[in-house]
Structures are given as C-alpha cells and as structure tokens.
Amino acid sequence: VQTGALPISLLAGAQGWRVDTSEQGRFSIEFPGKAEETVRKDTSGGPEVHYVTWFPNDSMGYMVDWTDLSAHYPASTPMKQLLEQSRDAATHNIRANNVITTITSLGREPYIEFSYTSAEFTGRGRVYIINNTQYVVLTLFPRSTGVSEGAGRFIRSFKYRW
C-alpha cells in the first residue's frame, strides 16, 4: 500500500470553515479546518481509494473518501442495494454496532445518510454513488461527547461537480 499527497484547493470560509475542492474527485466540501488529501493504491488489483481528511486529534475527524468503481461496478445491482452495501462496509470498517439510516435518496445524485455508534465513537455519514464513483462522507466523534453540530454542515456541504 502506497500513500502520496495530491493537490487540493483551499478557500477560507466563515468561522474557520474551508471549502476544499478536489478536481480529480470532482467535488467540493467544507471542512472545519485545513484538510489533507492522500491516495491509497491497492496492490491486489482493486481500485485506488482517495481521501480528504481533517483530524484535529485522535478521537475526532471529518473525512471524504472516493473510489472509481467503473471497472468493478455491478450494473445489475439496484442502486438502493449498492448504497446500503457501501454504508455497511463503511460502518463495518469503524466497528459500528448501531447504524440507523435517516435518508435514502435515489435521485440524480443517489445517497444514503446514516448515524452510527460503536464502543468508542459516534458520528454521521452519507454515501453517494454518482457516475460509477462511490463517495463516503463521514464524521467521527468520541461517544462520550456525542456528535458535533458541525457534522450536519459538513455532510450537507458535499457538492458534486458535473
């Protein structure tokens, strides 16, 4: 597995929030601090996973990852099922044991929104599948403090760039 930095464009926003634009990922999103962009190459032949993250400490974070699924896209699987499977994979990776779907939208930019808890963490997230690319927008907070008010702003600020 290799990790390398990719360029991102940062524009200062109100109250420390910053709009990050990923040209390669074709999206913009607001972070509450300066984010970093990295890529993980799968040496087993799977797709690359790109990350834009802001982790001010070890127990709190905001992240977007995206993966081009063009070569792996199961065209015969209904979109709702793809979104649910992607949500389940994302929450499994953070060991969530209670996942609640709050919205499923099957429009032009299909997504599933959810909240989750694990033994240590809680958070909210959305998974989009747009033009055969999967985007996972996820927040992570200590379970003891709960979800920050900024989580909603972060999740809703995701904008796909057609």
Side-chain angles (χ1 to χ4, degrees):
V1 176
Q2 297 176 347
T3 302
L6 298 173
I8 57 177
S9 170
L10 298 174
L11 302 173
Q15 301 173 358
W17 285 78
R18 304 164 77 100
V19 176
D20 289 15
T21 300
S22 172
E23 295 301 326
Q24 185 177 11
R26 299 184 57 103
F27 70 91
S28 64
I29 193 164
E30 291 183 48
F31 278 88
K34 184 178 179 185
E36 295 180 16
E37 190 166 352
T38 58
V39 63
R40 186 185 74 210
K41 297 177 189 274
D42 187 331
T43 57
S44 65
E48 291 182 336
V49 181
H50 302 260
Y51 299 89
V52 182
T53 59
W54 180 70
F55 285 91
N57 57 52
D58 290 339
S59 62
M60 178 179 151
Y62 295 75
M63 68 175 282
V64 179
D65 71 55
W66 77 96
T67 307
D68 180 352
L69 299 176
S70 296
H72 308 276
Y73 193 78
S76 63
T77 305
M79 181 57 70
K80 185 173 187 269
Q81 185 178 345
L82 287 173
L83 290 167
E84 290 168 346
Q85 290 171 344
S86 295
R87 175 210 55 209
D88 293 347
T91 55
H92 173 77
N93 288 339
I94 54 176
R95 298 184 185 99
N97 54 17
N98 184 24
V99 179
I100 300 168
T101 297
T102 55
I103 300 170
T104 301
S105 173
L106 300 176
R108 182 175 183 208
E109 297 177 0
Y111 70 86
I112 189 166
E113 187 169 323
F114 54 92
S115 61
Y116 73 89
T117 56
S118 70
E120 299 177 45
F121 300 107
T122 188
R124 291 177 52 198
R126 263 190 196 174
V127 174
Y128 293 86
I129 299 178
I130 305 170
N131 289 334
N132 296 337
T133 300
Q134 172 187 279
Y135 299 89
V136 178
V137 181
L138 197 65
T139 61
L140 180 77
F141 305 97
R143 190 170 178 176
S144 60
T145 63
V147 176
S148 164
E149 290 181 25
R153 177 177 178 170
F154 173 71
I155 290 167
R156 288 187 307 273
S157 73
F158 178 90
K159 303 287 185 259
Y160 182 76
R161 299 173 53 140
W162 291 93

